[in-house]
Amino acid sequence: YQRRVHGQTMESDPKANQRSHTFLNRLLPNINANEPTFTMRCLYVNTPDRLFMVGKHPSDSNVVVACGFNGEGFKHAPAIGSCAAVLATGCVPEKVNLPSELFKNMVERFRLDRFKEMEGAW
């Protein structure tokens, strides 16, 4: 399968597709996994400094943004989720098992406006 994503042609791995089809046909026999309507590789983007972005949205302080995980967010989900919870609720970091010093470090290091001076950044 081929698909255009952000101007690039992405090709699926035929062996991986076959393994997926076999698994899905066994797990979900009423669905024809051999004729998918859509496939996509796990796509992610890198921030210029390859660090996460976590903070309140610059235009709406009721929105907390957590993104830019560069394909590694799953490893950091507990800490990022706790940080986002503190930002969203205003609770003390320790309430969500996040040391205050770590929270302060994360908020500073992963702040959204750190790319403000870069061309095309929001």
Side-chain angles (χ1 to χ4, degrees):
Y1 306 104
Q2 287 189 347
R3 178 170 169 75
R4 300 273 303 158
V5 178
H6 300 296
Q8 294 180 337
T9 300
M10 307 295 285
E11 275 193 46
S12 299
D13 177 350
K15 288 181 182 178
N17 287 340
Q18 185 55 49
R19 287 191 306 269
S20 296
H21 297 168
T22 300
F23 173 76
L24 288 171
N25 283 327
R26 188 181 53 210
L27 184 69
L28 304 168
N30 295 329
I31 294 182
N32 185 359
N34 297 319
E35 295 181 22
T37 56
F38 174 79
T39 64
M40 180 184 280
R41 290 183 184 182
C42 179
L43 300 177
Y44 61 89
V45 294
N46 291 316
T47 57
D49 60 6
R50 299 197 182 268
L51 295 176
F52 310 145
M53 296 179 73
V54 181
K56 292 194 174 195
H57 192 281
S59 300
D60 187 346
S61 64
N62 291 320
V63 175
V64 173
V65 176
C67 61
F69 300 113
N70 310 323
E72 298 188 14
F74 68 95
K75 295 188 286 188
H76 304 280
I80 296 296
S82 294
C83 184
V86 172
L87 290 170
T89 65
C91 71
V92 295
E94 288 80 9
K95 186 171 184 176
V96 291
N97 297 318
L98 187 65
S100 289
E101 203 55 43
L102 177 59
F103 172 72
K104 289 176 194 170
N105 185 8
M106 291 173 73
V107 168
E108 175 57 29
R109 189 169 190 197
F110 303 144
R111 72 185 196 284
L112 303 182
D113 67 353
R114 68 184 190 270
F115 304 117
K116 212 173 203 172
E117 61 278 351
M118 295 180 74
E119 185 178 334
W122 57 287

